[in-house]
Amino acid sequence: MNLKRSWLAVPAVLGLTLTACSSGSTGSNGGSSGGSSDNIVTVNGSEPQNPLIPANTNETGGGRIVSSIFSSPAYYAADGSTQLDAAESITPNADNTEWTIKLRADGKFSDGTPVLAKNFVEAWKMATKQNLGSAGFFADVIGTDDDGSGDMEGGLEILDDYTFVVKLKGPESDFMKRLGYTAYSPLPDSTLADPKNGGEHPVGNGPYMPNGENAWQHSKQIDLAVNPNYSGPRTAKNGGLRIVFYQSLDAAYADLSSNDLDVLDAVPNSVFSSYQQELSGRTANQPAAVIQYVTIPSRLEHFSGEEGKLRRKAISMSIDRDSIIKTVFAGTRTAAKDFTSPAIDGYKEGLKGSEVLTYNPEKAKELWAQANAISPWSGKLQIAYNSDGGHQQWVDATCNSIKNTLGIEAEGDAYADFKSLLGDMKAGTTKGGFRQGWQGDYPSLYNFLFPTYSSNASSNYAGWKNAEFDKYLSDSLSASGTEALELQYKAEELLFEDMPVIPTWYSNTNGAWSTKVSNVQFTWNSTVNYFAITKN
């Protein structure tokens, strides 16, 4: 958030804005924080990677903003359950190949225009025709290619102003679970006509809207006002949001401690062992659907083919996850056992090949020697990370663990912010490996596997391709219950064979809030229900 979203600008690949009169003080990042008199809630965030078009936003900085400005047919409650939002009903046919979405007749965008079936249909078609960042989420709709690109010809049918049908390539019993993700949001006529302006000045159908023409102050903050036209279940209980783009979690925590920031969704490593005591009664430490990993692409020297598989497995078994979790994270992480999350139904430990995630120095050295027999190692291993996400300490500890086990040079490669790192990840220009993470978009094992590892996935920064993996996932969509899970387990076992990424640990939500707010709800995937927060 995590990607997000290959998300995660903060400990997981995780921004919003609002204009309002604020009598608050100036935070340590230079942004004006919200005061208690304005009923505006200030939260931490990061500069979005792209203009604010929902289907082109798959990282957490932009994700938290578009999820507040837009509403999809459904949304996810704090416990991960799927609830209706823009839709009045979502109904499948007998074999789950066609899903009829009936919208609420009172739905309006923040500019007062009605939210119609065409606004969903045309927004989705724009995503696939232009192959936007989240186009892959439409790959199962008729009229798209395997990567989600295409015109969706025959895949979407408008029945009337407020009703449309989604026609899938095959049965999908859990399709409704996806419809809470922001990629499925509608766009108003104005943005469909001028996406560039709509991305900079978004007009949405969600609980918040940009507060004025200059709401988004790039690299600083975004101000969101309550959308008076929103009539769905996520009605704002406050006067708006100010999302401040911090350059470091330490600066954000300092502002929170002095009540100049209301909510922080990830605390810095430096306070893991103390924040629950320092902010007693105002903290969260709970499991979340978030996983962190290190990606070492096959494009790098010594990491292609069989040599690359051996080296990634050796590196994985060189990382003393338990010690790093204890010393760096004060026990607020859990060593990874797979590529998904124990917070998701269907999670399973002990999959074939998962022993590669266990610290085993002797085996690591053995595998490294086998790789050297193919091609002797040269150079140094680098792991890139974004400095604004609180990652330096664990990256340094991970590099030291690898160095001490394998006897090679290993070091971190710091980027100023996540936007810069993500740009090089997408361009394939990082000098070495890089930290990455995934924050669940919707509560499903499939969501942890398809967007990050399928051959044409938008967040597959490892560049890994495996047709058998793709088929297992595709077949799982038309299966149900245990059968679907078994196919997804088989897909995961292929990941253990090739190790396109090296899972490190599952993240907890480690957040906190000021004395000025109440009703702070951290959700199943570590996000915050901003709309529910009240000012004291």
Side-chain angles (χ1 to χ4, degrees), residues 4-37:
K4 162 264 278 33
R5 235 145 350 181
S6 176
W7 40 264
L8 304 167
V10 293
V13 158
L14 305 161
L16 276 176
T17 293
L18 155 69
T19 329
C21 254
S22 172
S23 59
S25 63
T26 299
S28 61
N29 75 325
S32 178
S33 302
S36 60
S37 63

Side-chain angles (χ1 to χ4, degrees), residues 272-385:
F272 274 144
S273 62
S274 61
Y275 82 101
Q276 293 183 81
Q277 289 74 41
E278 293 173 356
L279 306 173
S280 181
R282 297 185 282 119
T283 66
N285 180 14
Q286 64 192 51
V290 174
I291 185 171
Q292 292 280 340
Y293 39 89
V294 173
T295 301
I296 307 179
S298 58
R299 62 176 168 80
L300 299 174
E301 185 180 6
H302 295 299
F303 285 99
S304 62
E306 185 63 25
E307 180 190 358
K309 294 179 188 179
L310 290 167
R311 293 201 188 281
R312 278 186 287 270
K313 289 179 180 180
I315 291 169
S316 177
M317 301 181 91
S318 300
I319 300 173
D320 189 350
R321 293 166 177 79
D322 290 336
S323 292
I324 294 171
I325 288 170
K326 180 179 179 180
T327 58
V328 175
F329 295 112
T332 60
R333 301 290 186 268
T334 302
K337 305 296 184 185
D338 81 329
F339 295 81
T340 65
S341 166
I344 299 296
D345 286 344
Y347 165 81
K348 182 179 180 180
E349 289 188 17
L351 293 173
K352 181 181 177 181
S354 60
E355 64 275 2
V356 76
L357 300 183
T358 300
Y359 179 54
N360 188 334
E362 293 307 313
K363 184 65 175 178
K365 293 174 183 176
E366 178 186 327
L367 294 173
W368 195 257
Q370 292 177 23
N372 281 339
I374 298 173
S375 175
W377 172 257
S378 60
K380 62 183 175 183
L381 176 68
Q382 289 184 298
I383 300 176
Y385 64 93

Side-chain angles (χ1 to χ4, degrees), residues 223-269:
D223 287 327
L224 301 182
V226 174
N227 178 7
N229 292 317
Y230 177 73
S231 58
R234 296 187 294 148
T235 303
K237 305 297 193 297
N238 48 62
L241 301 175
R242 167 163 288 166
I243 300 175
V244 183
F245 306 153
Y246 284 92
Q247 297 304 306
S248 75
L249 286 177
D250 288 294
Y253 187 78
D255 277 1
L256 181 84
S257 298
S258 60
N259 270 351
D260 288 328
L261 180 71
D262 289 321
V263 181
L264 179 62
D265 62 14
V267 301
N269 296 359

Side-chain angles (χ1 to χ4, degrees), residues 9-88:
V10 293
V13 158
L14 305 161
L16 276 176
T17 293
L18 155 69
T19 329
C21 254
S22 172
S23 59
S25 63
T26 299
S28 61
N29 75 325
S32 178
S33 302
S36 60
S37 63
D38 56 20
N39 202 27
I40 292 180
V41 175
T42 61
V43 303
N44 70 299
S46 58
E47 174 70 12
Q49 175 74 11
N50 299 311
L52 298 171
I53 299 294
N56 203 36
T57 302
N58 55 6
E59 43 76 37
T60 54
R64 69 182 66 201
I65 300 175
V66 298
S67 65
S68 296
I69 295 176
F70 292 89
S71 287
S72 297
Y75 80 100
Y76 305 117
D79 63 1
S81 61
T82 305
Q83 308 291 332
L84 296 174
D85 195 345
E88 179 181 294

Side-chain angles (χ1 to χ4, degrees), residues 70-320:
F70 292 89
S71 287
S72 297
Y75 80 100
Y76 305 117
D79 63 1
S81 61
T82 305
Q83 308 291 332
L84 296 174
D85 195 345
E88 179 181 294
S89 64
I90 302 172
T91 309
N93 64 355
D95 65 356
N96 297 313
T97 58
E98 295 186 6
W99 291 74
T100 300
I101 300 175
K102 184 175 179 58
L103 304 175
R104 290 186 291 105
D106 59 353
K108 292 182 179 180
F109 289 103
S110 58
D111 62 2
T113 59
V115 179
L116 304 176
K118 69 170 184 176
N119 296 109
F120 279 91
V121 169
E122 294 305 316
W124 295 9
K125 285 186 175 181
M126 186 177 87
T128 60
K129 287 179 179 179
Q130 298 183 18
N131 200 18
L132 299 182
S134 293
F137 283 89
F138 302 96
D140 304 313
V141 180
I142 290 172
T144 61
D145 294 329
D146 290 342
D147 62 354
S149 62
D151 59 10
M152 281 206 245
E153 184 67 30
L156 300 174
E157 179 185 0
I158 296 177
L159 300 185
D160 58 44
D161 281 350
Y162 296 99
T163 312
F164 66 105
V165 180
V166 185
K167 301 180 181 181
L168 305 177
K169 297 173 183 176
E172 292 188 33
S173 58
D174 67 346
F175 182 70
M176 181 174 169
K177 282 187 178 181
R178 301 192 192 190
L179 293 175
Y181 183 46
T182 51
Y184 298 102
S185 300
L187 291 174
D189 293 348
S190 59
T191 300
L192 291 168
D194 186 356
K196 182 177 181 180
N197 184 66
E200 185 68 23
H201 305 284
V203 173
N205 63 323
Y208 296 97
M209 64 182 187
N211 194 344
E213 283 294 305
N214 299 314
W216 186 1
Q217 300 178 47
H218 288 280
S219 300
K220 183 180 180 182
Q221 66 188 40
I222 184 169
D223 287 327
L224 301 182
V226 174
N227 178 7
N229 292 317
Y230 177 73
S231 58
R234 296 187 294 148
T235 303
K237 305 297 193 297
N238 48 62
L241 301 175
R242 167 163 288 166
I243 300 175
V244 183
F245 306 153
Y246 284 92
Q247 297 304 306
S248 75
L249 286 177
D250 288 294
Y253 187 78
D255 277 1
L256 181 84
S257 298
S258 60
N259 270 351
D260 288 328
L261 180 71
D262 289 321
V263 181
L264 179 62
D265 62 14
V267 301
N269 296 359
S270 58
V271 300
F272 274 144
S273 62
S274 61
Y275 82 101
Q276 293 183 81
Q277 289 74 41
E278 293 173 356
L279 306 173
S280 181
R282 297 185 282 119
T283 66
N285 180 14
Q286 64 192 51
V290 174
I291 185 171
Q292 292 280 340
Y293 39 89
V294 173
T295 301
I296 307 179
S298 58
R299 62 176 168 80
L300 299 174
E301 185 180 6
H302 295 299
F303 285 99
S304 62
E306 185 63 25
E307 180 190 358
K309 294 179 188 179
L310 290 167
R311 293 201 188 281
R312 278 186 287 270
K313 289 179 180 180
I315 291 169
S316 177
M317 301 181 91
S318 300
I319 300 173
D320 189 350

